[in-house]
Amino acid sequence: MTNIVLDTPKIAIIAYEGVQQSALHGLGEMFDVANRHVDEGAGRKIVHRVLSPSTLNDAHNVDAIILPPNLTGARGADDHGLHRWIQKRHLEGTIICSACAGCYWLAHASILDGRTVTTHWALEADFKRAFPKVHLRPEHILLDDNDIVTAGGVMAWVDLGIHLIGRWLGPSVISRTCRQMLIDPTGREQRNYRSFRPNMAHKDQTIRALQLWMEGNAKADLTVGALALQAGLSERSLHRKFSNSTGHSVNRYVQELRVEKAKGLLELTALSVSEICWQVGYQDVSAFNRLFKSISGLSAGEYRTRFKIDPRHLEQSEQTA
């Protein structure tokens, strides 16, 4: 990350149609809190303003632009005026930032080709289809590529705001701001929250039937040979058809499926990690733990601590259902 020292960094937050209102105003409030924690005489405070598409040309010499998330499903393909404005500001040296689906506006502005960015993990397949020249890394909450800063999930605008505060106002202001707003400043990754959602909307009925069988038999022998026998295919045909239909190799799919099943058991049961390991088809607990962490970014114990569901909440949900 490049530290940029400016007396009054100016940030424009874009209120495009459908923008997430909590992000739009929350970012401004976060910057206001941070400004109050700047040491007297330091000389640097963040100046921010909200701009609508109709007022874009009123902004001059902005140092950063933020495209917040939206909750409407909008992707900005027709916002050509906003695309051109983003592209022009980028050419002038403005830092361009986005959170969640805001990344689509940056991509439509043709400033992301060849760049490494992140967005919400659930948008991965759609974003890659739409923008194949962009290097998408959805496992990350935030990626700072100097002049382009992207954040992942719907609430990752918080991470983006804290990151920009640190970029301009320094670590002590980050610490004070996070303490006041009860924000954890570090340690998150999108893969901590990511769920495995395999594609079952394809047309290969044999592979879909096999996927459904695997869902109910995660503990079974899921080697390529056993799965080929279950599907009535040769191993070579299984490899080809499975990859074409699901977008995953057989072995990777099995790993993702079993870790997803393990997550559910960690959240909902009191089974030990060893018992869960065996429940999802693994015998080597150490190997299971390494796999779990490589996929989720957390150890099984850390995942349980963070995401375990209190049984009382389940009972209350059942009573009100």
Side-chain angles (χ1 to χ4, degrees):
M1 183 184 79
T2 301
N3 290 317
I4 300 174
V5 179
L6 298 168
D7 286 340
T8 54
K10 302 178 182 66
I11 299 177
I13 309 169
I14 309 304
Y16 60 87
E17 185 175 357
V19 71
Q20 182 185 349
Q21 294 296 312
S22 59
L24 189 70
H25 300 292
L27 281 163
E29 290 171 347
M30 184 180 292
F31 296 143
D32 288 339
V33 170
N35 284 339
R36 290 197 291 271
H37 288 296
V38 173
D39 291 333
E40 189 174 346
R44 293 192 304 278
K45 291 192 175 184
I46 293 174
V47 175
H48 62 88
R49 63 180 299 191
V50 172
L51 295 178
S52 67
S54 63
T55 61
L56 293 177
N57 291 328
D58 294 340
H60 303 287
N61 301 319
V62 292
D63 301 296
I65 294 165
I66 300 176
L67 276 293
N70 73 78
L71 301 176
T72 67
R75 298 293 179 260
D78 297 326
D79 292 342
H80 303 299
L82 180 53
H83 303 160
R84 289 191 294 270
W85 185 80
I86 292 170
Q87 188 177 60
K88 184 177 180 180
R89 298 286 83 79
H90 185 241
L91 290 171
E92 292 173 350
T94 302
I95 299 166
I96 312 296
C97 311
S98 70
C100 196
C103 194
Y104 280 80
W105 277 259
L106 276 58
H108 284 304
S110 301
I111 66 171
L112 297 186
D113 287 358
R115 305 300 293 270
T116 301
V117 305
T118 189
T119 188
H120 195 294
W121 61 263
L123 301 176
E124 178 180 4
D126 179 70
F127 192 91
K128 284 183 173 180
R129 282 194 300 269
F131 308 106
K133 296 181 180 179
V134 181
H135 303 314
L136 185 65
R137 298 291 302 277
E139 69 271 23
H140 295 290
I141 283 282
L142 186 140
L143 284 172
D144 182 339
D145 198 19
N146 193 30
D147 58 324
I148 293 176
V149 183
T150 52
V154 174
M155 292 303 297
W157 60 265
V158 175
D159 301 82
L160 176 60
I162 289 297
H163 183 78
L164 293 177
I165 290 167
R167 186 168 183 149
W168 282 306
L169 304 184
S172 64
V173 177
I174 285 182
S175 179
R176 296 168 192 167
T177 302
C178 288
R179 286 202 301 271
Q180 179 173 342
M181 301 188 77
L182 301 182
I183 296 170
D184 182 1
T186 60
R188 297 201 305 154
E189 297 181 68
Q190 275 209 86
R191 59 180 176 162
N192 301 161
Y193 306 90
R194 174 180 170 272
S195 296
F196 179 52
R197 296 181 178 179
N199 176 28
M200 292 191 180
H202 54 79
K203 298 180 180 180
D204 192 317
Q205 295 182 5
T206 300
I207 297 301
R208 186 162 58 250
L210 181 62
Q211 289 176 268
L212 292 171
W213 181 85
M214 293 166 71
E215 286 286 341
N217 295 275
K219 190 177 180 180
D221 181 358
L222 300 185
T223 60
V224 172
L227 290 172
L229 186 63
Q230 175 70 28
L233 298 169
S234 69
E235 292 187 18
R236 183 176 179 180
S237 293
L238 175 64
H239 277 299
R240 176 177 53 81
K241 292 167 71 70
F242 199 94
S243 178
N244 288 342
S245 298
T246 69
H248 296 276
S249 70
V250 175
N251 289 334
R252 183 62 179 179
Y253 189 100
V254 170
Q255 291 175 339
E256 292 272 8
L257 175 66
R258 283 175 162 169
V259 167
E260 191 67 20
K261 297 293 185 184
K263 286 180 179 179
L265 293 171
L266 289 165
E267 292 170 13
L268 298 170
T269 76
L271 292 173
S272 69
V273 172
S274 297
E275 289 173 309
I276 289 172
C277 166
W278 300 325
Q279 286 277 347
V280 298
Y282 290 104
Q283 301 302 315
D284 186 332
V285 178
S286 294
F288 166 74
N289 274 321
R290 288 194 297 272
L291 173 66
F292 191 95
K293 188 162 188 176
S294 72
I295 289 177
S296 72
L298 299 168
S299 70
E302 290 169 336
Y303 184 90
R304 168 170 274 165
T305 298
R306 185 174 293 190
F307 295 109
K308 184 172 177 59
I309 299 173
D310 188 326
R312 291 172 297 180
H313 295 165
L314 293 176
E315 292 173 4
Q316 291 170 0
S317 298
E318 290 171 357
Q319 291 170 0
T320 57

